[in-house]
Amino acid sequence: MIVEDTEFQMIQNLSVLYELSLAVSDSTDIRKNCENFLNILMSRKNLSFAGYWIFNREKNRMPELIHAVPFKNYTAGKTVFNHRFTHTLKKEGSLIIDIDSLFFNEIAELTQLNYGSFLVYCTASTGILLLHRSTHPFSTFEKKQLNKVVQKFGSFTKEMILQKTLLTRENMLREAIESELSIAQSQYRNLFDNALDAVFLYDNNINKITHHNKAFEKIFGFNPSEETLYPTAIMPQYQKDGKLSSKHIEAHNKMLETCRSIRIDFLHQRANGEQFESETTLINDEGSKRGYLVIVKDTSKQKKQQALIQQQLEDLNEQNEKLQQYIDSNKQLENFAYMASHDLQSPLRSVIGFAQLLGRTFTEDATKTQKEYLDFIISASLNMQQLIKSLLEYSRINSTQLEVKNINIQNLLEVVIAESHAIIQEKKATVHIQNLPKTLRADPTKLRQIFQNLLTNALKFVQPNVTPTIHITGEELPEYWRFSIKDNGIGIKPEFQEKIFKIFQRLHTKQEYEGTGIGLATCHRIAEQHSGDIYVESEFGKGSTFYFTIRKDL
């Protein structure tokens, strides 16, 4: 009984000493707290060893040594407790391990304490306290009484660990927030500095532009050294609507009192006084009533381009109207030409018929002059008849749609040459055909007419004492068939090489060469109807080559 009282008093003294050490020490260091407690135990309980381990929060990790006295009996890198021992200790709360106990050999081997007895506590589910005494074994009463101060130590240690954990988490959270804030600030700065549009901060309390980016300097033309900038420096006195710019700013400030941002068309001014139109965005600083962020997009080039496009559209519409008028007029002219030529045929035939009848009734008493007048009437009427016939054919070309078919071009050309056989024989001409496609898609009647007109011209416009030689050649292009009719005739001067494709354009008198001036105009129209073109390459006095194209995908 006396021993127990003494032991109880000793534990009480030990507890008081520990509390005094906590009061004296202002340290929040877990290791320092552990060292004070272990030193008190060592001095008051006649121990040969005392060590403290805390449980590791990571899964499958062994308890970690915080401090041991004497430290030379143990190294921090070793682990004394396996999972089985830890589980048993947590269940029991405390264990006295004598030399015959279950875990003695394992702990003795690792601590190099092969004698005496061990007393082990699980302190407030925080860690493990291991005590060793070599002089006499620990008693159950001693274990029970010592448990109070041990748990007090464990609770305080747990609280310190919790505070440290919270502090660590708080520091980690603060560092994370600071890092995110730093990244956000860096990103904002990059966006601010490298934006293509002018960006600046306006403080309406001091009525100044406080910050601006490089694009601001470029767009407005201010030097970076100009630190003090006022809004009046970047806007004209009046806007496009004739109102003061300052009145617009006042209206914008009121709008920003009730909304986050606004976008407006605003007239700005560069440092050199040049005014330019812009699309300006004002963003209210919700966390402050000092001002707002302003983004200015220079739209002067865009506005000029839009104005140019608008003008071009208006010009195009005007041209379309004129073109439509021309088309309508042309259609009316074609209809008129068709009707006129058709209606003129009958009276003209009558004139020719009666003139010929009159000629047969002339007696030998008719004067030479009378006969010449009659011949002139008949000749002029026949010329008029041919002109009307050509005009009628031209009108029909313009008024009829294409009848596209697959054509054997070789057969078509043989027909054209056969129809011109008489004049070919008369002129002793030679016609060569080469590189023709086997088939193509076109209107056979109109294609035949274009070949016939060009071949007739090649046989007509020949040089004196020169035997005509004509080459008809085909050539395949990516999207077109191109045909050429080459002759060694009189040729065409450069200034007339476009004129000849217009209707009624003649380069020679009827006395020199027969014709109506409609043939090549007809060829030009036929080529256009086949989504192609016609042109000539010629050297005056040496001959001409007429080219025309026909689109493949008709």
Side-chain angles (χ1 to χ4, degrees):
M1 190 65 179
I2 296 173
V3 173
E4 291 181 356
D5 290 341
T6 304
E7 183 66 34
F8 177 77
Q9 186 62 45
M10 182 181 294
I11 296 300
Q12 288 293 103
N13 294 339
L14 192 149
S15 179
V16 170
L17 284 173
Y18 176 59
E19 290 179 359
L20 285 172
S21 71
L22 292 177
V24 172
S25 175
D26 192 28
S27 173
T28 56
D29 187 358
I30 297 173
R31 190 177 300 279
K32 187 66 176 177
N33 171 58
C34 180
E35 181 181 354
N36 291 340
F37 181 66
L38 295 182
N39 286 333
I40 292 171
L41 287 176
M42 288 291 290
S43 64
R44 295 296 175 174
K45 296 300 293 177
N46 194 23
L47 302 177
S48 54
F49 176 82
Y52 185 69
W53 289 256
I54 60 171
F55 293 123
N56 201 307
R57 291 182 177 273
E58 295 183 25
K59 191 176 181 181
N60 299 324
R61 290 288 300 273
M62 291 293 100
E64 178 184 354
L65 177 66
I66 297 300
H67 191 67
V69 182
F71 197 76
K72 64 181 180 179
N73 287 351
Y74 193 77
T75 56
K78 290 184 179 179
T79 228
V80 175
F81 313 105
N82 55 32
H83 289 290
R84 189 163 61 95
F85 175 80
T86 304
H87 178 74
T88 302
L89 180 61
K90 286 182 177 180
K91 183 179 179 181
E92 297 294 332
S94 61
L95 293 172
I96 297 175
I97 302 175
D98 295 325
I99 194 167
D100 296 327
S101 299
L102 180 61
F103 298 104
F104 182 85
N105 290 335
E106 297 175 13
I107 296 176
E109 181 179 354
L110 291 170
T111 58
Q112 299 178 4
L113 299 170
N114 299 321
Y115 50 88
S117 64
F118 294 96
L119 177 57
V120 190
Y121 290 95
C122 179
T123 62
S125 301
T126 303
I128 298 174
L129 177 66
L130 178 63
L131 307 177
H132 179 266
R133 190 162 57 202
S134 58
T135 55
H136 57 278
F138 295 100
S139 66
T140 303
F141 179 79
E142 184 180 10
K143 182 184 76 170
K144 182 179 180 181
Q145 293 299 319
L146 191 58
N147 184 65
K148 295 178 182 180
V149 69
V150 168
Q151 294 307 323
K152 183 182 292 185
F153 161 75
S155 297
F156 185 74
T157 304
K158 183 178 182 180
E159 184 178 345
M160 294 178 70
I161 291 173
L162 181 60
Q163 290 178 353
K164 184 177 180 181
T165 301
L166 292 175
L167 183 61
T168 301
R169 288 180 179 175
E170 183 181 349
N171 290 336
M172 290 175 64
L173 181 60
R174 184 184 295 108
E175 289 176 359
I177 292 173
E178 290 176 352
S179 176
E180 291 293 332
L181 183 60
S182 176
I183 292 172
Q185 288 176 339
S186 176
Q187 291 174 340
Y188 169 79
R189 175 52 64 182
N190 285 334
L191 287 173
F192 186 90
D193 290 340
N194 299 315
L196 298 178
D197 298 330
V199 183
F200 63 90
L201 296 175
Y202 168 67
D203 190 328
N204 56 8
N205 288 343
I206 58 175
N207 192 32
K208 287 183 181 180
I209 296 171
T210 55
H211 297 86
H212 59 265
N213 65 349
K214 294 179 181 177
F216 177 92
E217 299 166 5
K218 181 179 179 181
I219 291 174
F220 285 96
F222 287 100
N223 296 324
S225 59
E226 298 182 53
E227 297 179 359
T228 304
L229 286 174
Y230 297 94
T232 52
I234 62 170
M235 61 184 180
Q237 186 176 2
Y238 295 96
Q239 290 294 305
K240 291 182 70 176
D241 59 2
K243 295 181 181 179
L244 289 168
S245 296
S246 57
K247 294 296 182 183
H248 280 272
I249 297 298
E250 290 175 6
H252 300 153
N253 286 336
K254 285 188 177 182
M255 293 173 64
L256 286 171
E257 291 176 0
T258 57
C259 61
R260 178 76 174 92
S261 64
I262 58 173
R263 181 173 293 176
I264 56 173
D265 290 329
F266 200 76
L267 193 64
H268 280 283
Q269 180 174 281
R270 307 187 203 277
N272 60 5
E274 177 191 353
Q275 296 180 3
F276 67 94
E277 295 183 69
S278 73
E279 182 182 274
T280 300
T281 304
L282 309 176
I283 302 174
N284 188 15
D285 184 0
E286 293 181 332
S288 170
K289 295 184 178 180
R290 294 185 61 85
Y292 39 79
L293 177 73
V294 183
I295 303 173
V296 178
K297 181 180 181 64
D298 185 352
T299 59
S300 55
K301 291 183 180 179
Q302 181 181 345
K303 295 285 186 182
K304 289 179 181 178
Q305 289 175 347
Q306 288 176 349
L308 179 60
I309 292 172
Q310 184 62 34
Q311 183 61 46
Q312 289 174 340
L313 285 174
E314 292 176 1
D315 293 344
L316 183 60
N317 289 334
E318 185 179 349
Q319 293 297 326
N320 285 338
E321 291 176 2
K322 291 181 179 179
L323 179 61
Q324 188 60 46
Q325 292 174 359
Y326 172 78
I327 291 172
D328 294 340
S329 175
N330 194 43
K331 285 182 178 179
Q332 292 174 2
L333 180 62
E334 290 174 2
N335 293 333
F336 171 78
Y338 179 80
M339 289 185 294
S341 59
H342 188 272
D343 293 343
L344 285 173
Q345 291 273 32
S346 180
L348 191 59
R349 281 196 295 268
S350 298
V351 170
I352 295 172
F354 281 108
Q356 290 174 341
L357 182 62
L358 182 62
R360 286 196 294 271
T361 61
F362 267 179
T363 63
E364 294 180 356
D365 296 334
T367 66
K368 182 179 179 182
T369 302
Q370 289 175 329
K371 291 181 179 180
E372 287 178 353
Y373 285 169
L374 185 61
D375 290 341
F376 178 77
I377 291 171
I378 295 173
S379 176
S381 298
L382 289 173
N383 288 336
M384 176 64 76
Q385 188 178 47
Q386 181 62 39
L387 179 62
I388 292 173
K389 182 180 178 181
S390 298
L391 184 61
L392 184 60
E393 289 178 356
Y394 182 77
S395 300
R396 284 172 178 169
I397 288 172
N398 289 332
S399 60
T400 57
Q401 298 293 327
L402 287 181
E403 294 183 7
V404 179
K405 298 178 182 178
N406 289 326
I407 301 173
N408 186 316
I409 195 68
Q410 182 71 35
N411 292 343
L412 185 143
L413 272 175
E414 288 176 359
V415 171
V416 171
I417 293 172
E419 291 176 344
S420 304
H421 178 72
I423 190 172
I424 291 173
Q425 289 289 95
E426 179 187 343
K427 300 280 186 178
K428 298 181 181 180
T430 305
V431 180
H432 301 279
I433 300 174
Q434 57 190 20
N435 295 333
L436 294 179
K438 290 183 179 180
T439 59
L440 58 81
R441 288 185 58 77
D443 185 315
T445 302
K446 294 184 177 182
L447 187 61
R448 174 175 166 272
Q449 190 170 2
I450 195 171
F451 273 116
Q452 192 172 47
N453 286 355
L454 293 175
L455 179 61
T456 300
N457 283 353
L459 292 168
K460 183 194 301 184
F461 298 102
V462 297
Q463 299 186 70
N465 304 320
V466 176
T467 302
T469 302
I470 302 168
H471 295 270
I472 301 176
T473 307
E475 180 183 2
E476 184 176 7
L477 302 178
E479 297 180 357
Y480 295 88
W481 292 109
R482 183 168 70 177
F483 297 93
S484 62
I485 294 85
K486 182 179 180 181
D487 62 54
N488 59 345
I490 62 175
I492 304 168
K493 293 180 180 180
E495 60 266 30
F496 300 124
Q497 289 179 10
E498 291 185 7
K499 180 180 177 181
I500 58 175
F501 294 105
K502 296 179 181 180
I503 192 169
F504 299 132
Q505 298 296 319
R506 294 175 52 86
L507 304 183
H508 308 278
T509 64
K510 289 185 178 181
Q511 288 73 23
E512 292 177 306
Y513 298 99
E514 295 181 355
T516 60
I518 296 177
L520 287 178
T522 301
C523 293
H524 183 265
R525 185 70 186 115
I526 293 173
E528 283 185 338
Q529 288 180 331
H530 286 78
S531 299
D533 194 12
I534 187 169
Y535 57 96
V536 64
E537 293 179 357
S538 179
E539 187 175 351
F540 186 69
K542 292 187 177 181
S544 304
T545 303
F546 284 84
Y547 296 91
F548 72 92
T549 56
I550 294 177
R551 192 168 181 86
K552 290 181 177 179
D553 56 355
L554 291 175

